[in-house]
């Protein structure tokens, strides 16, 4: 079956993240984003795409700060309340009935109930006519107790990361499961040595 190119997210399960910010006037904001990715291993950068007309983007431009909150599947019901268009003076923590988790390195708070939080500082913005790519430097990465195993590997069953696939009608939510497969990074290199893990 051939699909329209814009339907690419219909066959790519995407992570759902909540990005929390604070406006220059101190108003708290939350918005869900799925167009998000880390920038190469082992860099401390993360990138997401945003439409221009978003309070999140304006707040990041004004303050240079944001938190990427990673929710579990139990927070599926908070996507629409935080996605609805609200006036800039509306506190979306209150609208979505979510509690804040104080940050340690920035003013913008995280969201209680998520399984991980990345406190970020704006590193660079790549502005296009219809969208912007926002690159953030992760200043602090925190993971909730109970979602990592003894080797510090994410336990997908415990975290149940919220994900989505798109369709013409809307968003279909899902999560991930462990296949028990494993390959070391070093297997990609003829020498059998991972240059990233041995650098510096």
């Amino acid at each position: 079956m051939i699909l329209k190119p814009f339907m690419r997210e219909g066959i790519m399960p995407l992570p759902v993240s909540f990005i929390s910010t604070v406006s220059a006037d101190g108003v708290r904001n939350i918005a869900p984003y799925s167009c998000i990715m880390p920038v190469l291993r082992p860099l401390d950068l993360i990138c997401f795409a945003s439409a221009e007309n978003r309070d999140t983007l304006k707040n990041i431009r004004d303050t240079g700060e944001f938190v990427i909150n990673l929710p579990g599947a139990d927070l599926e019901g908070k996507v629409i309340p935080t996605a609805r268009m609200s006036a800039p003076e509306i506190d979306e923590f209150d609208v979505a009935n979510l509690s804040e988790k104080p940050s340690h390195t920035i003013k913008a708070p995280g969201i209680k109930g998520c399984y991980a939080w990345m406190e970020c500082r704006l590193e660079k913005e790549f502005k296009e006519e219809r969208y912007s790519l926002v690159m953030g430097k992760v200043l602090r990465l925190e993971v909730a107790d109970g979602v990592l195993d003894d080797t510090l590997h994410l336990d997908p069953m415990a975290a149940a990361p919220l994900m989505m696939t798109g369709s013409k009608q809307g968003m279909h939510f899902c999560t991930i499961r462990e296949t028990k497969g494993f390959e070391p990074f070093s297997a990609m290199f003829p020498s059998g040595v991972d240059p990233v893990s041995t650098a510096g």
Side-chain angles (χ1 to χ4, degrees):
M1 177 178 288
I2 304 300
L3 301 178
K4 297 288 187 181
F6 75 88
M7 289 300 300
R8 69 219 180 280
E9 72 273 16
I11 57 169
M12 294 176 62
L14 300 173
V16 175
S17 66
F18 293 121
I19 298 183
S20 51
T21 58
V22 173
S23 73
D25 297 326
V27 180
R28 301 178 301 176
N29 181 271
I30 304 171
Y33 281 83
S34 282
C35 297
I36 187 166
M37 61 169 282
V39 182
L40 294 179
R41 186 177 66 97
L43 301 179
D44 54 1
L45 301 173
I46 193 158
C47 184
F48 70 91
S50 177
E52 272 296 309
N53 188 27
R54 298 293 295 268
D55 291 336
T56 296
L57 186 56
K58 183 179 188 307
N59 291 348
I60 291 172
R61 287 170 174 167
D62 289 346
T63 68
E65 298 179 350
F66 58 99
V67 180
I68 294 175
N69 306 267
L70 298 182
D74 60 321
L75 292 180
E76 171 186 316
K78 301 299 182 180
V79 173
I80 294 302
T82 57
R84 290 191 184 106
M85 299 298 290
S86 299
E89 63 271 17
I90 299 298
D91 187 319
E92 292 186 306
F93 276 82
D94 292 339
V95 169
N97 194 27
L98 288 166
S99 299
E100 72 170 49
K101 177 185 178 299
S103 293
H104 293 258
T105 61
I106 60 176
K107 182 177 179 181
I111 301 170
K112 280 187 178 178
C114 291
Y115 73 84
W117 305 266
M118 299 180 214
E119 298 174 16
C120 300
R121 182 181 66 228
L122 177 61
E123 181 80 3
K124 191 170 185 178
E125 178 185 350
F126 301 87
K127 191 176 185 303
E128 299 293 338
E129 182 178 351
R130 298 175 60 188
Y131 67 91
S132 282
L133 294 179
V134 177
M135 186 179 295
K137 182 180 182 67
V138 180
L139 304 177
R140 178 184 168 93
L141 171 62
E142 183 177 350
V143 183
D145 294 337
V147 300
L148 298 179
D149 64 20
D150 293 340
T151 66
L152 302 184
H153 172 256
L154 182 72
D155 180 345
M157 296 299 290
L162 181 59
M163 304 183 75
M164 61 82 68
T165 56
S167 70
K168 292 181 179 179
Q169 291 75 36
M171 297 171 286
H172 301 263
F173 296 108
C174 58
T175 187
I176 61 173
R177 66 179 178 84
E178 180 73 72
T179 69
K180 303 302 182 182
F182 172 78
E183 289 288 352
F185 292 122
S186 58
M188 296 184 287
F189 302 95
S191 65
V193 175
D194 176 10
V196 171
S197 64
T198 58

